[in-house]
Amino acid sequence: MSANPEALVYLDLLEVGERIRRRELTAVMVTETLLARIDDLEPILRSYAQVMAQSALEAAARADAELEAGRVRGPLHGVPLAVKDLFWTRDAPTAGGTVIHRDFRPSVDATAVARLREAGSILLGKLEMTEGAYSDYHSSVEPPLNPWAADYWAGISSSGPGVALAAGLCFGALASDTGGSIRWPCGANSVTGLKPTWGRISRHGTLALAPTMDHVGVMARSVADVAAVLAAVAGPDRADPTALQTPSENYSAMITNDIRGVRIGIDRAWTRLNVDSQVVRVLDEAENLFREMGADIVELTFPDSTRAVADWSPICAVEAAVAHKETYPARADSYGSVLKGVIEAGRALSAMDYQELQLRRMSFRGQVTECLASVDLLLAPVHPFAPLSLEALGVMGERPELIARLQAFTAPFDLTGHPALTLPGGFDGKGMPIGFQLVAADLAEGMLLTAGAAFQRVSSWHRRHPQRLDHMALAHD
């Protein structure tokens, strides 16, 4: 039962699970391999807030014993995964990128985490994130580094999951998206991620940023892997009354379908307005591949989202202020300046202003729902920029118009709650990843995953991995 560690860490989650079930690998062997890689690369990449090595090895041993006894829990059984550090875990603190929660040890798992454990997966640890899942890291946190190039943006706030997946430090991850926090890291690190319909996965046991926009989602290296994890964690939850009542589905069975006759909408004016030419090229290439597979490309006009994108920030601010009311302003000195500023802005907004924001949000959601009813999927960028260097990102805080551009294609669908799938779509001239997204109507995750899987059957972008990790390790040594 030997395996090449470098080859093993980049296997699909589903293949690893199958090989463990066939006893060609053991869960302990796979877990040990990933823990050793984490030991080697974490001092450089910093994708884990904490590694749970002992409990992971204990869980792997239990998985092996169950499988030897003929008890098979499903495709995730024995497979090492990780979760963003805003999910409650009964055996490790949940800090959420903050100082105020650093010693918080919940007595129960988040529902999504509990379902991963029930499916037999191995929890390697908690993945790093921005403070409170907003846009900046607390000064006590060293941000994760992009494994494709350390001087490039790794995305926010689910940067830890994006980096860990790209570097072969886990096979899948739970994450969250409030303004783009699954989709940006997926694009920046060339991995696959799903922001499901709001409420499709329970939020019970997750630290909140803006609850009406917080989406629990899944990140992995392929659509098939995302589908398997989603099937394990989605569905109703008595502990979360806002979770949708629709039962989970067999997404893995759906994704084998072809996409002949699937209607994919594109607004060429919207997806090219202030969008880098390299991003447009990736969209055009994706469109052509979908057309070659038999999809119908439909020209449409997406609702004007300019005001909606501007409204995202004050809505988020008010909800963040409520989410942090137990610790702010009582422990204001423990907050970083960016999250503190957001909470203060939320506390200052009047009830009348907030109601106007919500009325505009309801109107915008209706317009987007009507637009999506005319097609099966919408094709759009994730980032309007070519891959961002940290140097370029450093001036963004001084230029609000750049922040609005960054949110242009992600924030609208957090406001409306519609599901979106991010796929690796190519690279720029410097070899840095560029992704794109597909958006669908409520609860159309199956359609998203079917189209994404079809795209990944005829493309290989998701099969490419960073080649500079050894150089980064040598530089660190």
Side-chain angles (χ1 to χ4, degrees):
M1 290 190 183
S2 61
N4 178 350
E6 187 68 25
L8 174 60
V9 300
Y10 281 124
L11 290 177
D12 287 346
L13 179 160
L14 289 174
E15 183 176 352
V16 171
E18 178 63 25
R19 291 179 65 179
I20 289 173
R21 288 192 298 279
R22 293 200 304 256
R23 311 313 287 150
E24 296 171 9
L25 297 170
T26 68
V28 168
M29 175 195 299
V30 175
T31 302
E32 288 175 340
T33 299
L34 264 68
L35 288 172
R37 187 171 176 85
I38 290 169
D39 283 344
D40 287 342
L41 294 178
E42 264 306 288
I44 313 154
L45 297 177
R46 309 190 292 254
S47 62
Y48 277 83
Q50 55 186 310
V51 179
M52 299 160 57
Q54 181 176 343
S55 60
L57 289 169
E58 291 170 355
R62 287 195 297 273
D64 283 332
E66 289 179 341
L67 290 164
E68 288 288 352
R71 182 185 179 189
V72 179
R73 294 174 179 256
L76 306 185
H77 203 170
V79 181
L81 309 177
V83 300
K84 186 174 177 178
D85 194 26
L86 53 66
F87 292 92
W88 292 4
T89 44
R90 64 178 186 267
D91 47 358
T94 300
T98 71
V99 168
I100 55 170
H101 295 305
R102 187 161 289 170
D103 298 321
F104 172 52
R105 280 186 169 268
S107 58
V108 297
D109 287 330
T111 295
V113 173
R115 288 176 178 173
L116 282 185
R117 295 196 205 257
E118 289 164 8
S121 63
I122 312 304
L123 186 57
L124 288 171
K126 313 293 288 291
L127 295 164
E128 195 58 88
M129 56 181 287
T130 52
E131 184 183 19
Y134 198 63
S135 67
D136 199 14
Y137 301 90
H138 192 276
S139 59
S140 64
V141 172
E142 290 189 285
L145 295 183
N146 191 318
W148 292 91
D151 55 345
Y152 273 76
W153 190 47
I156 51 173
S157 68
S158 305
S159 50
V163 170
L165 285 162
L169 304 181
C170 62
F171 292 103
L174 293 181
S176 68
D177 189 310
T178 305
S181 297
I182 285 175
R183 289 161 289 167
W184 289 330
C186 283
N189 294 282
S190 198
V191 298
T192 303
L194 177 70
K195 179 192 81 69
T197 307
W198 185 84
R200 192 68 184 96
I201 302 175
S202 170
R203 290 180 297 107
H204 172 67
T206 61
L207 299 178
L209 171 59
T212 71
M213 297 189 291
D214 292 345
H215 295 65
V216 174
V218 180
M219 295 169 65
R221 287 190 292 269
S222 74
V223 170
D225 290 350
V226 167
V229 178
L230 178 66
V233 299
D237 178 21
R238 290 183 179 178
D240 178 5
T242 69
L244 300 177
Q245 293 303 303
T246 307
S248 186
E249 301 180 67
N250 185 354
Y251 297 107
S252 295
M254 294 180 186
I255 63 174
T256 60
N257 298 334
D258 67 37
I259 58 168
R260 292 186 182 279
V262 170
R263 299 164 300 160
I264 301 180
I266 185 164
D267 181 338
R268 298 191 192 284
W270 177 53
T271 57
R272 284 160 172 74
L273 181 64
N274 294 322
V275 175
D276 186 90
S277 61
Q278 297 180 93
V279 176
V280 172
R281 171 182 53 79
V282 164
L283 280 182
D284 288 344
E285 291 173 355
E287 177 188 333
N288 289 335
L289 272 180
F290 284 124
R291 184 183 286 108
E292 290 172 9
M293 288 186 285
D296 296 329
I297 304 301
V298 179
E299 305 277 350
L300 54 71
T301 300
F302 188 73
D304 185 353
S305 58
T306 307
R307 188 62 185 265
V309 172
D311 285 348
W312 181 92
S313 291
I315 291 173
C316 182
V318 171
E319 296 193 24
V322 174
H324 288 264
K325 69 182 189 305
E326 300 299 327
T327 52
Y328 193 95
R331 298 180 60 189
D333 290 346
S334 297
Y335 281 77
S337 60
V338 172
L339 186 55
K340 182 186 294 187
V342 170
I343 293 172
E344 287 288 359
R347 291 168 66 89
L349 198 74
S350 74
M352 290 187 65
D353 288 342
Y354 184 67
Q355 175 65 2
E356 287 186 359
L357 290 167
Q358 291 299 338
L359 290 173
R360 287 199 295 270
R361 179 182 179 183
M362 291 170 62
S363 176
F364 179 67
R365 172 173 162 75
Q367 294 172 47
V368 174
T369 298
E370 182 179 5
C371 177
L372 291 172
S374 67
V375 293
D376 298 301
L377 299 167
L378 178 70
L379 176 64
V382 171
H383 312 126
F385 307 102
L388 287 165
S389 69
L390 295 179
E391 181 181 5
L393 195 68
V395 302
M396 189 169 287
E398 303 163 13
R399 298 180 60 186
E401 75 277 8
L402 293 181
I403 297 175
R405 277 183 64 196
L406 181 62
Q407 293 182 308
F409 300 105
T410 55
F413 305 110
D414 288 295
L415 286 163
T416 66
H418 291 107
L421 176 71
T422 298
L423 300 166
F427 294 84
D428 72 357
K430 296 182 179 179
M432 296 302 295
I434 298 175
F436 67 92
Q437 64 177 330
L438 296 170
V439 184
D442 288 339
L443 290 172
E445 286 82 8
M447 174 60 72
L448 283 172
L449 295 167
T450 296
F455 180 83
Q456 291 187 341
R457 285 196 292 271
V458 298
S459 67
S460 61
W461 304 119
H462 66 297
R463 297 292 182 197
R464 301 193 185 185
H465 309 300
Q467 301 299 311
R468 306 174 189 176
L469 291 172
D470 290 342
H471 297 296
M472 293 172 72
L474 288 172
H476 178 266
D477 291 341

